[in-house]
Amino acid sequence: MKLIKTFSPLLIFAAMMLPEQRTYASKSYGRFSIGGFTATEKFASDNFGSNSNDEMVLSSRLFYKATSSGDGAWEFVSDLRDKHDFFDKLDRERLQLTDKNEFQARQLSTRWANPNGKVSASLGRFPVADVGAIYTDGLLAEYRWNPGFWSSLFGGKNPQSDSHSYLQFNPKANIVGTGITYQAKTGGWDKNFYLTHGLVSETYESETDRNFLFHQMNLQWQENSRILSLLYVDFIPRTYVQNGSFIWQQQYTENFASELGILGMDSIQYYRHQGVRETLPPSAYQEAQAKISLGNPRASKWTLAGLSGKRAYDQKDKTEASLSYFQTQLLTRKVDAYLKIGGRKNFISQDTFARTGFGYFSRKWEYNLDIEYSSEKYNDGTLMHPLVTEFSISNSLSRSLFWTGSVQRAADEKVTIITSFFKLSYRFGEAEGAPQRDTAPLWGPI
Amino acid sequence: MRFYTLALLFPLLSLFIGSSSLAEKEGILSKLLAPGPLIKGHQDLEDKDCLKCHDAGKGVPNEKCLDCHKQIKPFVEQKRGFHGLTDKNCMECHREHKGRDFDSMAIDEKKFDHKKLTGYDLEGKHADIKCTECHKNKLGPKYLRPGDTQYFGNTSTCISCHKKDDVHFFKGNLAKKDCNACHGIKTWKDEIKFDHTRDGNYKLTGKHAEAKCNDCHLTNKNKKIFTYKWPQLKTAKCLTCHEDAHKANLSSRFRGGNCTACHTEQSWKIQTFDHKITGYKLNGRHVEIDCVECHKQNPTAIDKESKKNYKWVGLNKKCLSCHDDFHRFGNAKNPHFGDLNNCIDCHTEKKWTPAINFNHNKHTRYVIDGAHIEVKCKDCHTIKTTKMPIYKFPNLSTKTCENCHKSPHVGVFSKELLKKQCTVCHTTDSWSTHKSNKGFDHSKTRFPLTGAHISTKCNDCHGPAKKQIFKFKSADLKFCVDCHKNIHTNQFSKIFSAQSCTLCHDTKTFKDRLPFDHDKTQYKLKGAHAELKCQDCHTPIDKFSTVVEWPNINKKESPRTLYVSKFLYPDLKQKQCLSCHQDYHQGQLSTKCADCHNEKKWKPTSFNHDMQSDFPLKYKHAEVKCSECHKNTNQFITYKKISTPVVRYKPLSSQCVDCHKDPHKGTLGSRCQECHIEKGWKITRDFHKNFSLTGVHYALACAECHKDGRKLAGMSQQCYTCHQKDDVHSGTLPNCSECHTQHLWELSRFKHSLTNFPLRGAHRTLDCMTCHKEGAYKGLSSQCVSCYMQDYNANLAVTQHNGNFDCAACHRNQFNFGNVQ
């Protein structure tokens, strides 16, 4: 009964949409996905009278975009998400966990795209891409100075709250901002330039919650040689870098590349949760990374990577060094393999780890086996050996219907966790989708 | 009171009466005794004795009234009509002694119930009309209202009112019937009860049923004489009413009113007539033709339309009764047929021609065969000078052909030959066909006649009379050129120019050539070339066209134009196939057609795109039609009146965008092969190089991440770029891929239970930031006070809290921190 209550709104809506996409618009696109996982956790030792700590989550999502006929001046986008967590609410009277449901309209907006004109506008709940995908319940107006250069102005209610992770209408929270973006309309993948800046102000009733400057840049002057930068500069309660990263990737020859990166972040949540009697230490964290790659990613590649970071909270640091190797199209064109070994100081432990993976890829099927083993020696003398093994299968029944599932086992000396997962995704309507592969892809970071 | 009055008056009355006569005395007494004056109509009775009307002590009886009103008496006695149906006494209605002006006959017309009071129901139209439309009688002068309507006197018969409406003028018994015997009251015309069959003893059918009564019964329109009895009907039949149109122009058996032998009551026009009853049954074509084809119209008839003026008598069964003597046989007789004018001996009624019963070979002495079969009868059986027919050929036993044909050989052949009958040499098949071994046998000459020569007239070759040539000189060339002109001069090589025409032609026809061994030439025919007709390659060319007079000896026939073909190809070695074939590629490819084409079949070609071009076709490219890439140009090659566009083969770019539509509109450059492969546009090996799409990302539309065509190359590690607002860690854990996969965001590789502090009970429901508010995740203390120091400080009053940070010793239940044990 609870299941029906939880998913019926989406399913009914999906049923209305699926049979005919052309009813409301000349071009429409959407996808509906439903998935979930269940995790069984068994602890070696009894803890507070129980040695299990199971989880089960069921989630669904319906995304739909319709574009009007003609020049496609009008767009309608809805992104509805529903999540049912079966053990995530505390019934304090009965002292047990009950299920919790979260339904949210992630996006529900209409846009006057006006592709051939200079002005466009959006209304509803939507993310503003030019300022870091900030969500707004309001209005966005854009003015295109030329096809690659535009500025935007938006304002409305802020659907995001620091008390929960999902969006909801917050009548007392306001947001207003402006952005300016340049996107070079150059041909080809080799050269690319994207630069955007934004100013955003978030208020709660009469109080200013956050004022920040957003910057993002992607400059690529040749294949695999680029600079990426991301910056959030907050002005409340002081001027500081809330989040910033700078990455420089350089391809020297076909078989030799390097990467340098620095990362700095603070937590805005940290200040929001600060009690009136608390004097919290700074929570900033800085990190520097370096990578050297040798080999052709189309065949095999060695990567030597290292990072070093330090957090201000307790002055603890983190360092890591790893060597990874990946081989695409191992033995056959459909199989690839991956191996990574390394060691790190992880703030409070000395770890050595190894991770390996195998993948099989055909046009319709994809199998992945991923195994990670660590040896973690904590400062208090505890020695743990977590082993995480995951086997996943993906299958495209058609260009529209896709399912994936996996079984994961994670275990160490304290606990054994078996997690199984399944998801079904249905795509409908007209839109350019990702091409299908028939061989093993290059090993990506994700 | 009244008694006393009378008692006082009585002595006075006695005195008065005693002084008068008796009559006067009665009158005076009546007046004195009457309660009042009588009405105007009865005023004469005032001088009478009261007992004239009254019975002593019994009032006024009806009988006394009816003694005077005699016209009413029958109605009362018979109890019919207004006065007969009422149960009242006369005086109850006709009150008296009310004075002269009293109207004792007053009737309220509006309340008068005619049916109840008179027995005559006013139905139909009667209910709507005024009383006076039927009651037309007027009251006399003695009545109170002289000239007013007198209701009495009408009868219930229709005729009493509708006399003027009578259109029948019946007499005798019919006249005695009232109208309602046949007509209804409500609607005069629609409720006819009259049945002509029952009541008239004559059933009306067909047109009779549609006719108006007066069409028959108004026998004299001018004098308006109606007749309803037809005593002569049985003898005169139809003529009782109808005029005898045919009179003597009809066989006697059909006269006297026997019209129904031909006509029907359905239609006067004869629909189907069984001619058999005339003694002459119609068969074959006779059934199909119009009557008037035989029964011709009387030429003197005035009414050309009426068929009564056609000739219906006088014809007999003989064919010539109607048909002309086409053959002009007259009275000629034949041993086999007898009277030749008996047409039916040869012809049939089904079809006049051909005369199927006549067999010239069987029924005459002369057998018709050969070309005579085609000859019309009159060509032989007509004397050309007089145009008269002739059917007897007395000399047929000695002369045959000469009866009709004139010999062209007179003066040319010897007398000995001329004595012979034509049939010695000629046959009836054709004049030019000679009998072999009989007469002149051409096969005994050096030139046996074969093919078309057999039917060729002798003088076509041998020339006209007196200039005939019988000996020809070109025996080495088999005599062809003696009669025929060689139009191939300088067209063949020397080898073939020196040979006889019979190498290629036979004597049947010049057009059909003999099998020619092309291998004897420099170009051997193989494959499809061997199946071609000569003229497919050796096409007629204007350059060699010439007017040839043929045959060249006898010029009686009109000259014909023959076009000669091209046979010599001196540049064959150099141009090869293009010597004959058009270059459909217009120089794009080499002249070595055989590299791709072969002689067996021009299409498909043996062209190997992989080996012979710079663009090997693989996968999907191998499946597409050539025309998908090699488009037609604006140039056209016309051959045999068919225009074929020139296809572009070279130079052709190998750039994908030259053939494929770029959905990225050029924003991603022209090197499509970097992402796409030839196995299929939607299949790729290197697609999304640094960011392998799996899981949910694989189901996305490109534009969901690449908004406005934004390029995200190199952003693979920056999940933040797209998922900034999905990040519940608020950017404190930037390396998303360390824990999350693309399959399901909620499913993380990170397991809190693998840390030193598994989340259990109430801790499972907390937001991450409740504990990790500093943004630090790794290395936090698992001691309760590290998160609940504020709670600890706020409850220092609790004794157990004093310096004791082992919270779990008391707060054992994670579900409720306050539930201390």
Side-chain angles (χ1 to χ4, degrees):
Chain A
M1 195 63 196
K2 288 177 180 177
L3 270 177
I4 296 172
K5 182 181 178 182
T6 303
F7 291 99
S8 58
L10 279 182
L11 292 174
I12 292 170
F13 190 56
M16 290 167 60
M17 306 295 281
L18 298 183
E20 179 54 69
Q21 303 89 36
R22 290 181 173 272
T23 305
Y24 309 106
S26 64
K27 184 178 180 182
S28 61
Y29 157 77
R31 56 191 158 81
F32 176 74
S33 61
I34 184 169
F37 74 90
T38 176
T40 303
E41 297 188 1
K42 295 293 181 188
F43 288 90
S45 60
D46 181 79
N47 194 351
F48 301 110
S50 171
N51 65 346
S52 63
N53 194 30
D54 298 342
E55 275 188 279
M56 188 161 77
V57 172
L58 200 59
S59 66
S60 63
R61 182 181 181 188
L62 176 66
F63 177 84
Y64 178 75
K65 179 178 180 180
T67 306
S68 70
S69 57
D71 294 333
W74 286 96
E75 295 175 356
F76 169 77
V77 179
S78 70
D79 184 359
L80 308 176
R81 301 183 187 184
D82 192 74
K83 178 179 167 183
H84 196 96
D85 191 333
F86 289 84
F87 301 101
D88 208 11
K89 185 178 180 183
L90 180 63
D91 184 342
R92 291 183 181 277
E93 291 186 356
R94 286 178 289 180
L95 297 180
Q96 62 183 19
L97 290 172
T98 59
D99 54 330
K100 185 174 74 173
N101 184 54
E102 289 178 3
F103 175 79
Q104 61 176 320
R106 197 71 181 175
Q107 185 172 355
L108 197 65
S109 65
T110 182
R111 182 174 184 235
W112 181 49
N114 190 20
N116 299 321
K118 287 186 176 297
V119 180
S120 60
S122 299
L123 180 67
R125 173 173 295 174
F126 50 86
V128 184
D130 297 343
V131 292
I134 292 278
Y135 277 94
T136 302
D137 285 340
L139 177 67
L140 166 71
E142 291 175 302
Y143 183 83
R144 280 185 287 274
W145 304 92
N146 63 49
F149 182 50
W150 64 88
S151 53
S152 58
L153 185 65
F154 68 95
K157 299 296 177 184
N158 185 2
Q160 190 189 17
S161 168
D162 59 352
S163 61
H164 47 73
S165 57
Y166 53 90
L167 303 179
Q168 69 174 21
F169 183 66
N170 298 319
K172 296 180 180 179
N174 302 309
I175 186 169
V176 62
T178 181
I180 186 166
T181 303
Y182 175 74
Q183 181 173 314
K185 292 290 182 181
T186 56
W189 294 105
D190 297 349
K191 296 179 180 178
N192 182 28
F193 182 53
Y194 174 82
L195 177 65
T196 184
H197 288 91
L199 276 172
V200 181
S201 176
E202 297 175 1
T203 59
Y204 187 83
E205 293 185 327
S206 60
E207 296 294 325
T208 301
D209 196 29
R210 188 184 179 197
N211 287 341
F212 69 92
L213 166 72
F214 173 78
H215 155 88
Q216 188 175 17
M217 184 188 73
N218 179 11
L219 170 62
Q220 179 170 304
W221 55 91
Q222 69 177 45
E223 188 175 13
N224 291 332
S225 295
R226 62 182 73 88
I227 290 176
L228 309 172
S229 64
L230 177 72
L231 191 65
Y232 286 84
V233 179
D234 275 50
F235 303 107
I236 300 293
R238 55 184 171 81
T239 301
Y240 70 104
V241 175
Q242 189 269 322
N243 196 340
S245 68
F246 178 85
I247 298 171
W248 172 30
Q249 298 171 333
Q250 180 70 47
Q251 182 85 30
Y252 299 102
T253 68
E254 187 178 358
N255 294 325
F256 183 61
S258 70
E259 177 180 320
L260 288 174
I262 57 172
L263 172 70
M265 67 184 72
D266 210 327
S267 174
I268 55 171
Q269 299 282 42
Y270 177 75
Y271 290 104
R272 289 178 184 174
H273 285 257
Q274 184 177 14
V276 293
R277 293 191 297 172
E278 282 182 304
T279 303
L280 295 175
S283 64
Y285 174 74
Q286 285 86 37
E287 184 181 282
Q289 304 173 355
K291 285 183 186 174
I292 295 174
S293 296
L294 189 63
N296 189 340
R298 295 175 188 274
S300 61
K301 186 172 77 169
W302 291 93
T303 300
L304 182 63
L307 67 86
S308 177
K310 188 171 185 177
R311 65 189 185 196
Y313 163 64
D314 53 6
Q315 294 298 311
K316 287 188 168 62
D317 58 357
K318 176 184 179 181
T319 55
E320 180 178 311
S322 66
L323 177 66
S324 56
Y325 170 80
F326 77 85
Q327 174 71 52
T328 185
Q329 298 175 12
L330 175 67
L331 300 177
T332 74
R333 297 180 64 177
K334 297 182 184 295
V335 175
D336 64 10
Y338 169 79
L339 176 65
K340 181 179 181 181
I341 57 173
R344 64 177 164 239
K345 179 188 179 188
N346 198 5
F347 300 108
I348 58 169
S349 65
Q350 298 289 336
D351 304 342
T352 54
F353 59 90
R355 184 176 178 180
T356 185
F358 296 92
Y360 172 85
F361 300 87
S362 68
R363 286 183 59 181
K364 293 186 176 179
W365 291 94
E366 186 178 314
Y367 305 96
N368 278 293
L369 175 65
D370 191 80
I371 304 171
E372 184 176 7
Y373 175 75
S374 304
S375 174
E376 301 171 350
K377 184 178 182 181
Y378 289 86
N379 293 343
D380 62 359
T382 308
L383 184 62
M384 305 297 288
H385 299 92
L387 173 64
V388 180
T389 306
E390 182 175 359
F391 178 70
S392 62
I393 301 175
S394 297
N395 175 222
S396 297
L397 296 172
S398 69
R399 290 285 295 168
S400 299
L401 202 57
F402 170 85
W403 68 269
T404 181
S406 72
V407 177
Q408 184 192 72
R409 180 182 184 277
D412 64 2
E413 284 78 357
K414 298 196 309 283
V415 64
T416 300
I417 304 168
I418 304 294
T419 306
S420 58
F421 146 75
F422 178 82
K423 189 178 76 169
L424 185 68
S425 176
Y426 175 65
R427 182 169 65 183
F428 55 92
E430 308 163 60
E432 289 290 333
Q436 291 180 305
R437 286 184 294 268
D438 65 340
T439 57
L442 300 179
W443 190 275
I446 284 184
Chain B
M1 185 64 191
R2 192 175 178 183
F3 175 77
Y4 291 112
T5 304
L6 289 172
L8 288 172
L9 292 174
F10 187 75
L12 296 173
L13 282 172
S14 299
L15 290 172
F16 174 72
I17 293 169
S19 61
S20 303
S21 65
L22 183 61
E24 287 175 341
K25 290 175 182 174
E26 286 179 349
I28 293 168
L29 185 61
S30 295
K31 285 181 180 177
L32 288 173
L33 293 177
L38 292 174
I39 62 173
K40 185 181 178 183
H42 289 167
Q43 65 180 345
D44 294 342
L45 296 176
E46 282 188 346
D47 299 332
K48 307 294 182 184
D49 182 12
C50 297
L51 296 178
K52 176 72 174 177
C53 299
H54 293 271
D55 272 352
K58 293 183 180 177
V60 180
N62 288 346
E63 289 76 14
K64 298 238 174 163
C65 299
L66 296 176
D67 285 345
C68 292
H69 299 284
K70 296 182 185 302
Q71 72 276 21
I72 296 175
K73 192 174 183 177
F75 291 93
V76 175
E77 290 176 349
Q78 296 168 18
K79 294 189 180 300
R80 60 184 176 90
F82 174 73
H83 291 97
L85 292 176
T86 183
D87 53 356
K88 294 182 178 179
N89 292 326
C90 302
M91 295 309 293
E92 288 183 64
C93 297
H94 303 289
R95 304 296 298 273
E96 261 300 356
H97 295 290
K98 297 293 182 181
R100 292 283 186 274
D101 297 331
F102 180 71
D103 186 358
S104 68
M105 293 165 55
I107 288 178
D108 186 351
E109 292 181 353
K110 293 181 180 176
K111 295 181 179 178
F112 191 80
D113 186 347
H114 209 286
K115 181 181 179 182
K116 183 180 177 184
L117 298 175
T118 69
Y120 186 79
D121 190 8
L122 297 181
E123 295 180 289
K125 290 287 184 182
H126 292 138
D128 301 330
I129 62 175
K130 295 177 180 177
C131 305
T132 55
E133 289 190 45
C134 289
H135 297 283
K136 295 184 183 296
N137 293 336
K138 305 296 180 186
L139 294 171
K142 67 178 182 178
Y143 289 93
L144 179 65
R145 293 176 274 106
D148 201 356
T149 303
Q150 182 181 33
Y151 297 99
F152 178 79
N154 284 22
T155 63
S156 60
T157 60
C158 305
I159 200 71
S160 67
C161 292
H162 295 286
K163 180 72 177 175
K164 63 179 179 59
D165 299 323
D166 181 17
V167 296
H168 304 300
F169 304 102
F170 290 130
K171 293 175 181 175
N173 291 332
L174 286 174
K176 294 176 182 175
K177 291 189 176 182
D178 197 13
C179 307
N180 57 17
C182 297
H183 295 281
I185 291 177
K186 291 182 179 178
T187 55
W188 193 258
K189 293 182 178 178
D190 296 339
E191 294 181 66
I192 301 297
K193 302 170 189 172
F194 178 74
D195 183 353
H196 208 285
T197 306
R198 181 191 64 207
D199 302 325
N201 289 329
Y202 187 80
K203 187 176 182 180
L204 299 181
T205 59
K207 289 292 182 183
H208 285 149
E210 300 171 10
K212 295 179 179 177
C213 305
N214 286 352
D215 291 344
C216 295
H217 293 287
L218 182 58
T219 50
N220 190 323
K221 199 171 183 179
N222 296 328
K223 296 181 179 179
K224 290 191 177 179
I225 298 174
F226 292 84
T227 305
Y228 294 97
K229 286 189 175 180
W230 315 97
Q232 74 278 23
L233 186 63
K234 288 186 178 178
T235 55
K237 301 175 185 172
C238 301
L239 295 182
T240 303
C241 292
H242 298 281
E243 187 184 350
D244 185 3
H246 301 295
K247 295 189 172 70
N249 185 21
L250 206 63
S251 172
S252 59
R253 78 177 76 171
F254 300 117
R255 296 181 202 165
N258 291 326
C259 307
T260 54
C262 304
H263 303 281
T264 67
E265 289 181 281
Q266 306 301 326
S267 171
W268 197 252
K269 189 176 180 180
I270 298 173
Q271 301 295 329
T272 55
F273 177 67
D274 185 5
H275 209 280
K276 187 179 178 181
I277 64 175
T278 66
Y280 183 74
K281 186 182 180 184
L282 299 183
N283 296 313
R285 288 276 293 158
H286 286 141
V287 177
E288 301 169 9
I289 63 173
D290 262 1
C291 308
V292 295
E293 296 276 336
C294 294
H295 298 283
K296 304 286 184 185
Q297 191 185 50
N298 185 352
T300 60
I302 298 172
D303 185 358
K304 301 291 184 187
E305 298 297 325
S306 175
K307 290 185 178 177
K308 66 185 181 183
N309 292 321
Y310 286 73
K311 189 177 179 182
W312 301 108
V313 291
L315 299 181
N316 57 45
K317 296 180 183 177
K318 290 186 177 180
C319 305
L320 293 184
S321 179
C322 293
H323 297 281
D324 291 336
D325 183 8
F326 179 78
H327 303 295
R328 299 187 186 177
F329 285 135
N331 295 322
K333 296 184 183 305
N334 175 277
H336 181 81
F337 291 105
D339 190 355
L340 286 177
N341 266 334
N342 192 21
C343 309
I344 201 68
D345 288 341
C346 296
H347 299 282
T348 70
E349 288 180 284
K350 288 184 179 177
K351 202 173 183 182
W352 196 256
T353 55
I356 58 171
N357 290 337
F358 177 71
N359 188 326
H360 206 287
N361 300 348
K362 190 176 176 182
H363 299 147
T364 71
R365 292 181 296 162
Y366 190 77
V367 175
I368 301 294
D369 58 3
H372 286 147
I373 294 172
E374 304 288 332
V375 173
K376 293 179 179 176
C377 304
K378 64 179 182 180
D379 291 344
C380 295
H381 293 287
T382 302
I383 300 171
K384 291 181 180 176
T385 53
T386 62
K387 304 293 182 185
M388 290 299 292
I390 179 171
Y391 296 99
K392 288 185 177 180
F393 298 93
N395 297 330
L396 196 62
S397 57
T398 55
K399 293 183 178 181
T400 52
C401 307
E402 295 87 337
N403 278 302
C404 294
H405 300 283
K406 185 180 179 182
S407 172
H409 304 304
V410 177
V412 178
F413 282 180
S414 63
K415 291 181 180 177
E416 195 171 331
L417 275 174
L418 289 173
K419 287 180 182 177
K420 293 185 177 180
Q421 289 188 335
C422 304
T423 53
V424 172
C425 293
H426 299 282
T427 70
T428 57
D429 290 336
S430 171
W431 200 250
S432 57
T433 304
H434 298 78
K435 289 182 176 177
S436 296
N437 301 322
K438 291 181 181 178
F440 183 77
D441 187 358
H442 212 287
S443 62
K444 291 181 179 178
T445 70
R446 292 179 299 168
F447 192 76
L449 297 181
T450 59
H453 288 142
I454 295 172
S455 59
T456 302
K457 294 177 181 177
C458 300
N459 51 2
D460 284 349
C461 296
H462 295 289
K466 298 180 181 180
K467 292 183 180 180
Q468 289 173 326
I469 301 171
F470 292 100
K471 188 173 183 180
F472 297 99
K473 55 186 179 182
S474 303
D476 54 339
L477 294 176
K478 298 187 178 178
F479 304 109
C480 301
V481 294
D482 289 329
C483 293
H484 301 283
K485 183 179 179 180
N486 182 8
I487 62 172
H488 299 300
T489 309
N490 298 327
Q491 202 178 353
F492 295 142
S493 64
K494 291 180 180 177
I495 299 173
F496 294 103
S497 294
Q499 295 191 43
S500 167
C501 304
T502 56
L503 182 66
C504 296
H505 301 282
D506 67 358
T507 56
K508 290 180 180 176
T509 171
F510 259 87
K511 290 181 180 177
D512 297 334
R513 293 167 182 82
L514 292 173
F516 176 71
D517 186 3
H518 211 283
D519 293 350
K520 291 179 180 176
T521 70
Q522 295 177 343
Y523 189 81
K524 294 182 179 180
L525 297 184
K526 298 176 183 175
H529 284 143
E531 299 170 5
L532 291 175
K533 293 179 180 178
C534 304
Q535 57 267 34
D536 289 338
C537 294
H538 302 290
T539 54
I541 51 175
D542 294 340
K543 184 178 178 182
F544 285 89
S545 65
T546 180
V547 176
V548 180
E549 294 173 354
W550 184 87
N552 62 338
I553 296 174
N554 190 339
K555 296 183 179 179
K556 287 181 181 178
E557 291 192 17
S558 301
R560 284 186 283 174
T561 301
L562 295 179
Y563 291 90
V564 292
S565 303
K566 181 182 180 182
F567 288 96
L568 291 178
Y569 294 93
D571 53 354
L572 184 63
K573 285 187 178 178
Q574 180 187 351
K575 295 180 67 175
Q576 299 185 46
C577 304
L578 297 182
S579 298
C580 289
H581 295 281
Q582 299 237 29
D583 183 8
Y584 280 84
H585 309 308
Q586 287 292 287
Q588 297 178 76
L589 309 176
S590 75
T591 58
K592 295 179 181 177
C593 307
D595 287 350
C596 302
H597 302 282
N598 62 67
E599 289 183 289
K600 284 185 178 178
K601 207 171 184 181
W602 196 256
K603 286 183 179 179
T605 68
S606 57
F607 175 71
N608 187 327
H609 213 287
D610 298 343
M611 303 295 291
Q612 294 175 259
S613 79
D614 296 332
F615 191 81
L617 298 182
K618 294 178 181 177
Y619 305 115
K620 288 289 182 181
H621 280 144
E623 298 170 9
V624 301
K625 293 179 180 177
C626 307
S627 58
E628 296 286 334
C629 297
H630 297 286
K631 306 287 184 185
N632 295 339
T633 67
N634 295 328
Q635 285 184 286
F636 285 88
I637 299 294
T638 302
Y639 178 65
K640 290 187 176 179
K641 298 181 180 179
I642 298 174
S643 291
T644 307
V646 176
V647 178
R648 170 68 66 196
Y649 288 101
K650 289 174 71 176
L652 201 65
S653 169
S654 59
Q655 290 280 325
C656 305
V657 292
D658 288 344
C659 292
H660 296 280
K661 185 180 178 183
D662 180 12
H664 312 301
K665 300 177 180 177
T667 56
L668 305 181
S670 58
R671 287 155 55 194
C672 309
Q673 64 272 23
E674 285 196 3
C675 296
H676 301 282
I677 61 172
E678 292 172 283
K679 269 189 175 180
W681 201 250
K682 294 181 178 178
I683 306 168
T684 179
R685 183 181 306 133
D686 294 337
F687 171 74
H688 245 255
K689 294 174 186 173
N690 291 324
F691 184 42
S692 304
L693 294 179
T694 59
V696 67
H697 286 131
Y698 210 66
L700 295 179
C702 304
E704 287 189 60
C705 294
H706 299 279
K707 188 174 180 295
D708 294 324
R710 183 181 172 190
K711 296 166 190 170
L712 300 173
M715 309 287 281
S716 59
Q717 296 182 63
Q718 312 299 313
C719 306
Y720 213 59
T721 304
C722 296
H723 293 287
Q724 194 249 2
K725 281 302 170 184
D726 296 320
D727 178 23
V728 297
H729 313 299
S730 300
T732 55
L733 294 172
N735 299 320
C736 308
S737 61
E738 287 185 357
C739 298
H740 295 283
T741 68
Q742 295 188 54
H743 295 306
L744 189 72
W745 196 255
E746 292 89 339
L747 179 62
S748 169
R749 288 177 61 85
F750 171 74
K751 304 294 180 187
H752 213 288
S753 294
L754 290 178
T755 70
N756 286 330
F757 191 80
L759 296 181
R760 311 185 70 176
H763 283 122
R764 287 179 52 154
T765 68
L766 298 179
D767 189 274
C768 302
M769 287 299 163
T770 304
C771 298
H772 300 285
K773 54 189 174 183
E774 300 89 353
Y777 289 89
K778 186 76 177 180
L780 290 184
S781 171
S782 60
Q783 283 195 327
C784 302
V785 292
S786 63
C787 291
Y788 297 104
M789 182 57 85
Q790 277 189 305
D791 298 317
Y792 178 85
N793 291 333
N795 294 280
L796 285 175
V798 179
T799 306
Q800 289 84 344
H801 284 177
N802 190 14
N804 183 4
F805 294 105
D806 185 12
C807 306
C810 299
H811 301 282
R812 294 180 61 82
N813 192 328
Q814 288 196 44
F815 288 114
N816 192 335
F817 200 75
N819 188 13
V820 179
Q821 294 181 353

